[in-house]
Structure formats: C-alpha cells, structure tokens
Amino acid sequence: MISDLWYKNAVIYCLSVETFMDANGDGVGDFEGLTRRLDYLQGLGVTAVWLMPFQVSPQRDDGYDVSDYYAVDPRYGTLGDFVEFTHAAKQRGLRVLIDLVVNHTSIDHPWFQEARRDPGSKYRDWYVWSKKKPKNANEGMVFPGVQKTTWTYDDAAQAYYFHRFYDHQPDLDTSNPAVQAEILKIMGFWIQLGVSGFRMDAVPFVIGTKGADVTTSTEQFDMLRTFREFMQWRQGDSIVLAEANVLPETDMDYFGRDGDRMHMMFNFQVNQNLFYALASADTRPLVKAMKATKQRPATGQWGQFLRNHDELDLGRLEEDQREAVFAAFGPEKHMQLYDRGIRRRLAPMLGGDQRRLELAYSLQFTLPGTPVIRYGDEIGMGDDLDLPERNCARTPMQWSTEPNGGFTKSDKPVLPVISGGPWGYEHVNAATQRRDPESLLNWTERIIRMRKEVPEVGWGDFTVITTRDPAVLVMRYDWHDNAVLFVHNFADTPREVAFATGIAGEHGRRLVDLLGDDHLACEEDGKHRLVIEGYGYRWYRVGGLDYLLRRNEIDVAAIRVSNHRSK
C-alpha cells in the first residue's frame, strides 16, 4: 500500500528546464544540464521532480503555449535527451512529473492552423468558435489588466475563437470525444518515455463546458475519472497533481468520493490563509481553511506549497485580509499582479530573514499533505521586478559565484541572472551555502530528511490543539499508533503556551524534540508548557524514539471508521 501510494510521503521539487542549467552554452537550460544536476537534487533529498513545459512552443507564455505535444523544444534538446534524463532520474530513485497543458494550444499549433483555414477539417471542432462576438466576451479573463477579452476574431476562419487565457492560446473543446482521446494519447506517450505522472494545468477550465452560449460553465467531472483510469492501466503508480483553485465544497468532486479522480490537488485555500497568518500573526483563518479542506479520500493527497511559478493568488481572501497581505509582502504596485496577487519570491517577501524563512518552510513541511518546493527557494533566491509579469520570479538558478551564477557560459541567458544587490548570485548561490553549515540550503536538506521520518504528516489524520494565543499553532498527527506534534509561533516576540497532547497514558506525557534538545515532560495538571521564541518552531515525537517498535502496520482507526460507515 505504501509503495503504491508513493506520493503520500513525498517531497516534490518544481523546476523549469530552461532556467536550471545550460550545458550547451546557448543561454538556455537544457536536459543535458538538468541531468548533470540530478545528483544535487538527490542530495537535497527530494523524491520527485516536476518539470514545467518543455514541448515545442513559440514561447509567448513560457511554454504554456504548446505547438507540438509529442516533441521536445529544440532549445532544450531532443527526445533522446529527455529519455536519458528520465533514466538517470530513475537510477537515483527520483520520479519525474511533467506539466500537462491541454486546456489550450498555441495559436501556431498545426491543429489550429488547419482549423482556421478549413471549415471542413476535423480539427475545426477541436476548438471553440462563434460567428458573432458573444455578449460575455469581456468577462472571465484569467489575466485581468493584461488580457482584454476571451473571444478574438480570426480573419482566416471568419469567426471568433474562445481563449480563457491569452489570445495566442485558443482553447481546445475538451468536451469533444476526439480531443479527449488525443489527451489520453499524449499522456500515454510521455508515460512510455519514463514519466510517473502529470501536473495538470488549469483543471477547472479543462473539464468546464465551453461555447458562445455558455454563461455559467459546468464541470464535467467524469472526464477526470477517464484520465485516471487510463493512467492506472498504463502505469499503476502514476499520478495526476491537479491545479484547481476551487472552493472547499467542491474538493471531493475533484478527488472523487471513491478516490477515483485526481490523486493530488494543490491546496490554494490553505496557501492563501497561510500568507495571511504570516502577515498578521493570526492563525485562526488558517486553521479554518485546514479544517475546511480536511476531507479527502484515503488515496487522495494535498500538495502544500508556499510560492510557485505564478503570482501568489489572494483572490479567496476577504478584502481586509488581502490588503493586510499586500501591505506586509507587496506594498508597492509593481509588486502586485492581475489585481489579485503578488509576483515576488518568498525570500524578498520575508525580507531575507532566515528565521521567518525557516518558520515558513517548517509550516509547509508539516501541513497535511505533500510539500512541493520550487527551485531556488532552498537557497532563498530573490526576484527581478524589472522583468514583466511573472518572469520576475522565473530567473535562472544561481549555482555559484561564476559568471551568470554558473547557469551558463553564454553572455545572453534566456532571462537575466540576478546580479548585484542582496539577491545577486554573488551572495546567494548553492556553492557558497553548501560550505556553510548554518545556511538555508543545509537547513532545507536536514528538514527534508526529517520530514521523511514523520510519515504521520503524509498518511495520518491531524488535530489542531487549542491554545489561548492565536499567534501559536499546535498540531498533532496520528497514524498507526504513533503521533507527532508541531508548534509554530507566527509572532515576532516570544510566546508562552500550555497544551495537552491529547494522548492518554504515560506515552502522551513526553515530547521528544526531533530538531534539537528542547524535550518536554508534562506537569502535574497533564499539560506541557513551552516558551517559544519569535518565529520559532518545534517538531516533537509523542512518547519516545521507540516509535518504530510501537508502529502498528494495521490502521486500526481507519478500520473503525470503515466499520462505522458500513452499519
């Protein structure tokens, strides 16, 4: 069971091939360079690598405008280079996930080009057309302030085509059975080449109904089951990690009540409330979000993240909460994007304060689910706000103090490497931090190793333990007769808290510190008392370090729940 559901206790590392390492010297990262850096990723301790798009593309949207789903963009190498990469990853015990971008194609894709030229082409119905401009054409834009409409007129087709994103990304009509069959073919192709799963882009739009007469899109959830069934037949332990920024009441529709749809989903609800907690030192909305997203099938899993390759979307927060996060982490207009988010990386948002960075990552690694970290965050990389839109946080990886941060020997990297100032590669790079035992990189490596030793977080059930201080979050996880407990102080000043573990008997009276020597024994009233420093965190194992001897390989709690439901 554990090996089949490998993603339940994994650590996923997200990267862009074009910004990781350039071995060819043309200024663009490539699969040869990425393969050379696999030892670094293995040493960091991650278990899976998620690659952003690398298929053939005109690169108007960082590869999310695909023009050939069955080929590697020549800038990154060849299909042979890709297979060498997946083989090398497998040798190191690393799984490979890739982006599956099938809500839309590039306007340059041969499918669209034939569709616009020939009304009788089979590809005409693969896209969404209208002879007249729909009345709601100026609604529903994904990129407000940059994108002006969702319907654009095409002279060759003499019709309007629908695009939820940019006008160079026409939407596929995913309700069309022929399009769905092609999506399965794309998935099967990459699985055959060594891929263990997909991060599916824009899932609500993929499964939503589309058309000129559609005023309110309806999700076609059975489509998700089709995708899953196909993958399980092709490769039993392959997965789909869904990008779906949806409300908690629809989470189970995406996972499937029987766990027969998406394996994983990013937890946007928790992510946004986590940043509010970091900004305000008030954990109550975060706890509410955690409880609202607690329900998931036994095979389902949340992907917990801090920052990703997009803006920090704050659209689900209340207006006053959103303003508090803006004020704390993106107070200037050029730091904000699309009237809803912040386009900065985490380290600049937190002022480069390693105490706060450690707190944030400690939280991410102890939230219910699987942590997904982004390249460069393990060394505290910064951003270049002079670059447009989201490119500011997509700059090349900073490896060393060599020219261009060791990313490339070319004078013209795909995006400029951050140089000079507090975030320049001269100061922030992997090589320098590797030699510093107190660096963020070495801290991250240690925390990843410890995270693997607390499978309760990935597999177990969590309980929030009440304290009188909203700045302090105490959580306990239980799994197979074992328990771990985590304490985080969101305030910048020390806090004193008292709490009971909730574990009966002598076993629950002792807390062993997993990251230091701050062990705790409860007092006569059955409570533990802790003075925790500002931005402090503690990882405790309840009882003692004989937990492996105590572990029950049969999940008694799950059996009780199952028996109760069957009555």
Side-chain angles (χ1 to χ4, degrees), residues 126-151:
W126 284 33
Y127 295 89
V128 185
W129 304 92
S130 176
K131 283 294 184 182
K132 296 181 179 180
K133 188 172 186 178
K135 294 180 179 179
N136 61 348
N138 298 326
E139 301 174 4
M141 287 82 72
V142 172
F143 305 126
V146 176
Q147 180 188 357
K148 296 181 179 179
T149 182
T150 56
W151 289 87

PDB file of all heavy atoms in Angstrom, residues 126-151:
ATOM      1  N   TRP A 126     -12.268  20.884 -32.876  1.00  0.00           N
ATOM      2  CA  TRP A 126     -11.392  20.719 -31.721  1.00  0.00           C
ATOM      3  C   TRP A 126     -11.251  22.032 -30.943  1.00  0.00           C
ATOM      4  O   TRP A 126     -10.740  22.040 -29.831  1.00  0.00           O
ATOM      5  CB  TRP A 126     -10.005  20.245 -32.168  1.00  0.00           C
ATOM      6  CG  TRP A 126      -9.973  18.778 -32.544  1.00  0.00           C
ATOM      7  CD1 TRP A 126     -10.964  18.054 -33.111  1.00  0.00           C
ATOM      8  CD2 TRP A 126      -8.871  17.872 -32.367  1.00  0.00           C
ATOM      9  NE1 TRP A 126     -10.571  16.754 -33.317  1.00  0.00           N
ATOM     10  CE2 TRP A 126      -9.277  16.621 -32.870  1.00  0.00           C
ATOM     11  CE3 TRP A 126      -7.581  18.002 -31.860  1.00  0.00           C
ATOM     12  CZ2 TRP A 126      -8.449  15.502 -32.863  1.00  0.00           C
ATOM     13  CZ3 TRP A 126      -6.751  16.884 -31.847  1.00  0.00           C
ATOM     14  CH2 TRP A 126      -7.175  15.652 -32.336  1.00  0.00           C
ATOM     15  N   TYR A 127     -11.698  23.113 -31.537  1.00  0.00           N
ATOM     16  CA  TYR A 127     -11.641  24.436 -30.899  1.00  0.00           C
ATOM     17  C   TYR A 127     -13.054  24.985 -30.753  1.00  0.00           C
ATOM     18  O   TYR A 127     -14.032  24.381 -31.201  1.00  0.00           O
ATOM     19  CB  TYR A 127     -10.733  25.376 -31.702  1.00  0.00           C
ATOM     20  CG  TYR A 127      -9.289  24.925 -31.704  1.00  0.00           C
ATOM     21  CD1 TYR A 127      -8.813  24.046 -32.683  1.00  0.00           C
ATOM     22  CD2 TYR A 127      -8.403  25.353 -30.732  1.00  0.00           C
ATOM     23  CE1 TYR A 127      -7.495  23.609 -32.679  1.00  0.00           C
ATOM     24  CE2 TYR A 127      -7.084  24.929 -30.718  1.00  0.00           C
ATOM     25  CZ  TYR A 127      -6.631  24.050 -31.690  1.00  0.00           C
ATOM     26  OH  TYR A 127      -5.332  23.615 -31.679  1.00  0.00           O
ATOM     27  N   VAL A 128     -13.179  26.134 -30.121  1.00  0.00           N
ATOM     28  CA  VAL A 128     -14.486  26.703 -29.776  1.00  0.00           C
ATOM     29  C   VAL A 128     -14.675  27.983 -30.583  1.00  0.00           C
ATOM     30  O   VAL A 128     -13.907  28.946 -30.420  1.00  0.00           O
ATOM     31  CB  VAL A 128     -14.573  26.987 -28.259  1.00  0.00           C
ATOM     32  CG1 VAL A 128     -15.980  27.452 -27.888  1.00  0.00           C
ATOM     33  CG2 VAL A 128     -14.180  25.753 -27.444  1.00  0.00           C
ATOM     34  N   TRP A 129     -15.707  28.010 -31.429  1.00  0.00           N
ATOM     35  CA  TRP A 129     -15.915  29.113 -32.371  1.00  0.00           C
ATOM     36  C   TRP A 129     -17.273  29.774 -32.178  1.00  0.00           C
ATOM     37  O   TRP A 129     -18.197  29.173 -31.644  1.00  0.00           O
ATOM     38  CB  TRP A 129     -15.809  28.620 -33.815  1.00  0.00           C
ATOM     39  CG  TRP A 129     -14.517  27.937 -34.154  1.00  0.00           C
ATOM     40  CD1 TRP A 129     -14.253  26.599 -34.085  1.00  0.00           C
ATOM     41  CD2 TRP A 129     -13.312  28.565 -34.600  1.00  0.00           C
ATOM     42  NE1 TRP A 129     -12.956  26.339 -34.456  1.00  0.00           N
ATOM     43  CE2 TRP A 129     -12.359  27.530 -34.782  1.00  0.00           C
ATOM     44  CE3 TRP A 129     -12.939  29.881 -34.869  1.00  0.00           C
ATOM     45  CZ2 TRP A 129     -11.057  27.780 -35.224  1.00  0.00           C
ATOM     46  CZ3 TRP A 129     -11.653  30.137 -35.309  1.00  0.00           C
ATOM     47  CH2 TRP A 129     -10.721  29.109 -35.474  1.00  0.00           C
ATOM     48  N   SER A 130     -17.377  30.994 -32.695  1.00  0.00           N
ATOM     49  CA  SER A 130     -18.655  31.699 -32.728  1.00  0.00           C
ATOM     50  C   SER A 130     -18.643  32.678 -33.898  1.00  0.00           C
ATOM     51  O   SER A 130     -17.656  33.397 -34.099  1.00  0.00           O
ATOM     52  CB  SER A 130     -18.894  32.461 -31.421  1.00  0.00           C
ATOM     53  OG  SER A 130     -20.099  33.214 -31.488  1.00  0.00           O
ATOM     54  N   LYS A 131     -19.722  32.690 -34.670  1.00  0.00           N
ATOM     55  CA  LYS A 131     -19.800  33.625 -35.811  1.00  0.00           C
ATOM     56  C   LYS A 131     -19.905  35.066 -35.323  1.00  0.00           C
ATOM     57  O   LYS A 131     -19.394  35.991 -35.962  1.00  0.00           O
ATOM     58  CB  LYS A 131     -21.011  33.277 -36.687  1.00  0.00           C
ATOM     59  CG  LYS A 131     -20.798  32.058 -37.575  1.00  0.00           C
ATOM     60  CD  LYS A 131     -19.711  32.342 -38.626  1.00  0.00           C
ATOM     61  CE  LYS A 131     -19.537  31.182 -39.596  1.00  0.00           C
ATOM     62  NZ  LYS A 131     -18.446  31.448 -40.565  1.00  0.00           N
ATOM     63  N   LYS A 132     -20.584  35.257 -34.199  1.00  0.00           N
ATOM     64  CA  LYS A 132     -20.734  36.586 -33.622  1.00  0.00           C
ATOM     65  C   LYS A 132     -19.979  36.657 -32.294  1.00  0.00           C
ATOM     66  O   LYS A 132     -19.808  35.647 -31.609  1.00  0.00           O
ATOM     67  CB  LYS A 132     -22.218  36.906 -33.379  1.00  0.00           C
ATOM     68  CG  LYS A 132     -23.049  36.976 -34.649  1.00  0.00           C
ATOM     69  CD  LYS A 132     -24.490  37.327 -34.317  1.00  0.00           C
ATOM     70  CE  LYS A 132     -25.348  37.425 -35.587  1.00  0.00           C
ATOM     71  NZ  LYS A 132     -26.763  37.770 -35.258  1.00  0.00           N
ATOM     72  N   LYS A 133     -19.573  37.861 -31.956  1.00  0.00           N
ATOM     73  CA  LYS A 133     -18.876  38.036 -30.687  1.00  0.00           C
ATOM     74  C   LYS A 133     -19.868  37.872 -29.533  1.00  0.00           C
ATOM     75  O   LYS A 133     -20.858  38.610 -29.448  1.00  0.00           O
ATOM     76  CB  LYS A 133     -18.230  39.423 -30.618  1.00  0.00           C
ATOM     77  CG  LYS A 133     -17.325  39.605 -29.414  1.00  0.00           C
ATOM     78  CD  LYS A 133     -16.563  40.925 -29.486  1.00  0.00           C
ATOM     79  CE  LYS A 133     -15.558  41.039 -28.350  1.00  0.00           C
ATOM     80  NZ  LYS A 133     -14.764  42.289 -28.434  1.00  0.00           N
ATOM     81  N   PRO A 134     -19.671  36.910 -28.656  1.00  0.00           N
ATOM     82  CA  PRO A 134     -20.613  36.681 -27.557  1.00  0.00           C
ATOM     83  C   PRO A 134     -20.720  37.903 -26.640  1.00  0.00           C
ATOM     84  O   PRO A 134     -19.771  38.689 -26.495  1.00  0.00           O
ATOM     85  CB  PRO A 134     -19.998  35.481 -26.818  1.00  0.00           C
ATOM     86  CG  PRO A 134     -19.179  34.789 -27.853  1.00  0.00           C
ATOM     87  CD  PRO A 134     -18.620  35.883 -28.716  1.00  0.00           C
ATOM     88  N   LYS A 135     -21.872  38.039 -25.998  1.00  0.00           N
ATOM     89  CA  LYS A 135     -22.114  39.185 -25.131  1.00  0.00           C
ATOM     90  C   LYS A 135     -21.198  39.206 -23.911  1.00  0.00           C
ATOM     91  O   LYS A 135     -20.896  40.275 -23.369  1.00  0.00           O
ATOM     92  CB  LYS A 135     -23.579  39.187 -24.672  1.00  0.00           C
ATOM     93  CG  LYS A 135     -24.576  39.408 -25.817  1.00  0.00           C
ATOM     94  CD  LYS A 135     -26.007  39.398 -25.291  1.00  0.00           C
ATOM     95  CE  LYS A 135     -26.998  39.637 -26.436  1.00  0.00           C
ATOM     96  NZ  LYS A 135     -28.411  39.612 -25.960  1.00  0.00           N
ATOM     97  N   ASN A 136     -20.770  38.010 -23.476  1.00  0.00           N
ATOM     98  CA  ASN A 136     -19.922  37.947 -22.276  1.00  0.00           C
ATOM     99  C   ASN A 136     -18.438  37.871 -22.634  1.00  0.00           C
ATOM    100  O   ASN A 136     -17.620  37.382 -21.842  1.00  0.00           O
ATOM    101  CB  ASN A 136     -20.311  36.742 -21.415  1.00  0.00           C
ATOM    102  CG  ASN A 136     -20.122  35.422 -22.149  1.00  0.00           C
ATOM    103  OD1 ASN A 136     -19.911  35.384 -23.363  1.00  0.00           O
ATOM    104  ND2 ASN A 136     -20.196  34.319 -21.413  1.00  0.00           N
ATOM    105  N   ALA A 137     -18.071  38.363 -23.808  1.00  0.00           N
ATOM    106  CA  ALA A 137     -16.684  38.263 -24.280  1.00  0.00           C
ATOM    107  C   ALA A 137     -15.702  39.034 -23.410  1.00  0.00           C
ATOM    108  O   ALA A 137     -14.506  38.733 -23.413  1.00  0.00           O
ATOM    109  CB  ALA A 137     -16.586  38.756 -25.727  1.00  0.00           C
ATOM    110  N   ASN A 138     -16.181  40.011 -22.673  1.00  0.00           N
ATOM    111  CA  ASN A 138     -15.295  40.823 -21.843  1.00  0.00           C
ATOM    112  C   ASN A 138     -15.345  40.413 -20.374  1.00  0.00           C
ATOM    113  O   ASN A 138     -15.035  41.198 -19.481  1.00  0.00           O
ATOM    114  CB  ASN A 138     -15.647  42.298 -21.989  1.00  0.00           C
ATOM    115  CG  ASN A 138     -15.451  42.792 -23.413  1.00  0.00           C
ATOM    116  OD1 ASN A 138     -14.544  42.335 -24.107  1.00  0.00           O
ATOM    117  ND2 ASN A 138     -16.314  43.692 -23.847  1.00  0.00           N
ATOM    118  N   GLU A 139     -15.739  39.155 -20.138  1.00  0.00           N
ATOM    119  CA  GLU A 139     -15.818  38.621 -18.776  1.00  0.00           C
ATOM    120  C   GLU A 139     -14.978  37.354 -18.679  1.00  0.00           C
ATOM    121  O   GLU A 139     -14.717  36.684 -19.676  1.00  0.00           O
ATOM    122  CB  GLU A 139     -17.276  38.295 -18.407  1.00  0.00           C
ATOM    123  CG  GLU A 139     -18.217  39.486 -18.478  1.00  0.00           C
ATOM    124  CD  GLU A 139     -19.668  39.080 -18.253  1.00  0.00           C
ATOM    125  OE1 GLU A 139     -19.905  37.875 -17.975  1.00  0.00           O
ATOM    126  OE2 GLU A 139     -20.551  39.943 -18.356  1.00  0.00           O
ATOM    127  N   GLY A 140     -14.570  37.039 -17.466  1.00  0.00           N
ATOM    128  CA  GLY A 140     -13.913  35.759 -17.205  1.00  0.00           C
ATOM    129  C   GLY A 140     -12.457  35.671 -17.611  1.00  0.00           C
ATOM    130  O   GLY A 140     -11.916  34.571 -17.748  1.00  0.00           O
ATOM    131  N   MET A 141     -11.789  36.802 -17.810  1.00  0.00           N
ATOM    132  CA  MET A 141     -10.376  36.760 -18.181  1.00  0.00           C
ATOM    133  C   MET A 141      -9.532  36.251 -17.006  1.00  0.00           C
ATOM    134  O   MET A 141      -9.754  36.642 -15.860  1.00  0.00           O
ATOM    135  CB  MET A 141      -9.876  38.143 -18.594  1.00  0.00           C
ATOM    136  CG  MET A 141     -10.384  38.599 -19.962  1.00  0.00           C
ATOM    137  SD  MET A 141     -12.061  39.297 -19.889  1.00  0.00           S
ATOM    138  CE  MET A 141     -11.747  40.854 -19.075  1.00  0.00           C
ATOM    139  N   VAL A 142      -8.565  35.405 -17.304  1.00  0.00           N
ATOM    140  CA  VAL A 142      -7.675  34.876 -16.280  1.00  0.00           C
ATOM    141  C   VAL A 142      -6.657  35.926 -15.857  1.00  0.00           C
ATOM    142  O   VAL A 142      -6.233  35.958 -14.704  1.00  0.00           O
ATOM    143  CB  VAL A 142      -6.968  33.600 -16.788  1.00  0.00           C
ATOM    144  CG1 VAL A 142      -5.882  33.140 -15.811  1.00  0.00           C
ATOM    145  CG2 VAL A 142      -7.987  32.486 -16.998  1.00  0.00           C
ATOM    146  N   PHE A 143      -6.284  36.801 -16.799  1.00  0.00           N
ATOM    147  CA  PHE A 143      -5.257  37.814 -16.521  1.00  0.00           C
ATOM    148  C   PHE A 143      -5.843  39.216 -16.666  1.00  0.00           C
ATOM    149  O   PHE A 143      -5.529  39.940 -17.610  1.00  0.00           O
ATOM    150  CB  PHE A 143      -4.077  37.646 -17.467  1.00  0.00           C
ATOM    151  CG  PHE A 143      -3.467  36.276 -17.463  1.00  0.00           C
ATOM    152  CD1 PHE A 143      -3.315  35.562 -18.637  1.00  0.00           C
ATOM    153  CD2 PHE A 143      -3.047  35.698 -16.277  1.00  0.00           C
ATOM    154  CE1 PHE A 143      -2.749  34.293 -18.635  1.00  0.00           C
ATOM    155  CE2 PHE A 143      -2.484  34.428 -16.262  1.00  0.00           C
ATOM    156  CZ  PHE A 143      -2.333  33.732 -17.441  1.00  0.00           C
ATOM    157  N   PRO A 144      -6.715  39.627 -15.747  1.00  0.00           N
ATOM    158  CA  PRO A 144      -7.298  40.966 -15.839  1.00  0.00           C
ATOM    159  C   PRO A 144      -6.223  42.040 -15.753  1.00  0.00           C
ATOM    160  O   PRO A 144      -5.243  41.911 -15.028  1.00  0.00           O
ATOM    161  CB  PRO A 144      -8.239  41.015 -14.626  1.00  0.00           C
ATOM    162  CG  PRO A 144      -7.737  39.978 -13.694  1.00  0.00           C
ATOM    163  CD  PRO A 144      -7.169  38.900 -14.542  1.00  0.00           C
ATOM    164  N   GLY A 145      -6.433  43.092 -16.528  1.00  0.00           N
ATOM    165  CA  GLY A 145      -5.449  44.161 -16.573  1.00  0.00           C
ATOM    166  C   GLY A 145      -4.424  43.961 -17.659  1.00  0.00           C
ATOM    167  O   GLY A 145      -3.773  44.905 -18.094  1.00  0.00           O
ATOM    168  N   VAL A 146      -4.279  42.719 -18.119  1.00  0.00           N
ATOM    169  CA  VAL A 146      -3.369  42.386 -19.219  1.00  0.00           C
ATOM    170  C   VAL A 146      -4.160  41.834 -20.399  1.00  0.00           C
ATOM    171  O   VAL A 146      -3.924  42.175 -21.550  1.00  0.00           O
ATOM    172  CB  VAL A 146      -2.305  41.361 -18.755  1.00  0.00           C
ATOM    173  CG1 VAL A 146      -1.424  40.941 -19.929  1.00  0.00           C
ATOM    174  CG2 VAL A 146      -1.463  41.941 -17.627  1.00  0.00           C
ATOM    175  N   GLN A 147      -5.117  40.989 -20.080  1.00  0.00           N
ATOM    176  CA  GLN A 147      -5.976  40.354 -21.082  1.00  0.00           C
ATOM    177  C   GLN A 147      -7.304  41.110 -21.155  1.00  0.00           C
ATOM    178  O   GLN A 147      -7.926  41.391 -20.128  1.00  0.00           O
ATOM    179  CB  GLN A 147      -6.201  38.887 -20.673  1.00  0.00           C
ATOM    180  CG  GLN A 147      -7.071  38.062 -21.583  1.00  0.00           C
ATOM    181  CD  GLN A 147      -7.378  36.707 -20.964  1.00  0.00           C
ATOM    182  OE1 GLN A 147      -6.896  36.385 -19.883  1.00  0.00           O
ATOM    183  NE2 GLN A 147      -8.197  35.925 -21.634  1.00  0.00           N
ATOM    184  N   LYS A 148      -7.751  41.460 -22.360  1.00  0.00           N
ATOM    185  CA  LYS A 148      -8.926  42.317 -22.504  1.00  0.00           C
ATOM    186  C   LYS A 148     -10.197  41.565 -22.869  1.00  0.00           C
ATOM    187  O   LYS A 148     -11.293  42.099 -22.718  1.00  0.00           O
ATOM    188  CB  LYS A 148      -8.649  43.391 -23.564  1.00  0.00           C
ATOM    189  CG  LYS A 148      -7.526  44.344 -23.174  1.00  0.00           C
ATOM    190  CD  LYS A 148      -7.300  45.402 -24.234  1.00  0.00           C
ATOM    191  CE  LYS A 148      -6.188  46.361 -23.826  1.00  0.00           C
ATOM    192  NZ  LYS A 148      -5.929  47.405 -24.850  1.00  0.00           N
ATOM    193  N   THR A 149     -10.095  40.359 -23.385  1.00  0.00           N
ATOM    194  CA  THR A 149     -11.279  39.625 -23.820  1.00  0.00           C
ATOM    195  C   THR A 149     -10.983  38.132 -23.809  1.00  0.00           C
ATOM    196  O   THR A 149      -9.819  37.712 -23.704  1.00  0.00           O
ATOM    197  CB  THR A 149     -11.705  40.058 -25.233  1.00  0.00           C
ATOM    198  OG1 THR A 149     -12.903  39.360 -25.609  1.00  0.00           O
ATOM    199  CG2 THR A 149     -10.611  39.769 -26.250  1.00  0.00           C
ATOM    200  N   THR A 150     -12.044  37.334 -23.894  1.00  0.00           N
ATOM    201  CA  THR A 150     -11.874  35.883 -24.018  1.00  0.00           C
ATOM    202  C   THR A 150     -12.303  35.386 -25.408  1.00  0.00           C
ATOM    203  O   THR A 150     -12.279  34.187 -25.664  1.00  0.00           O
ATOM    204  CB  THR A 150     -12.704  35.136 -22.951  1.00  0.00           C
ATOM    205  OG1 THR A 150     -14.081  35.530 -23.048  1.00  0.00           O
ATOM    206  CG2 THR A 150     -12.178  35.441 -21.553  1.00  0.00           C
ATOM    207  N   TRP A 151     -12.682  36.300 -26.289  1.00  0.00           N
ATOM    208  CA  TRP A 151     -13.059  35.934 -27.662  1.00  0.00           C
ATOM    209  C   TRP A 151     -12.341  36.873 -28.636  1.00  0.00           C
ATOM    210  O   TRP A 151     -12.414  38.092 -28.499  1.00  0.00           O
ATOM    211  CB  TRP A 151     -14.568  36.050 -27.878  1.00  0.00           C
ATOM    212  CG  TRP A 151     -15.368  34.980 -27.152  1.00  0.00           C
ATOM    213  CD1 TRP A 151     -15.827  35.031 -25.874  1.00  0.00           C
ATOM    214  CD2 TRP A 151     -15.785  33.723 -27.686  1.00  0.00           C
ATOM    215  NE1 TRP A 151     -16.512  33.889 -25.557  1.00  0.00           N
ATOM    216  CE2 TRP A 151     -16.512  33.056 -26.665  1.00  0.00           C
ATOM    217  CE3 TRP A 151     -15.633  33.096 -28.925  1.00  0.00           C
ATOM    218  CZ2 TRP A 151     -17.071  31.800 -26.838  1.00  0.00           C
ATOM    219  CZ3 TRP A 151     -16.195  31.827 -29.103  1.00  0.00           C
ATOM    220  CH2 TRP A 151     -16.903  31.195 -28.076  1.00  0.00           C
TER     221      TRP A 151
END
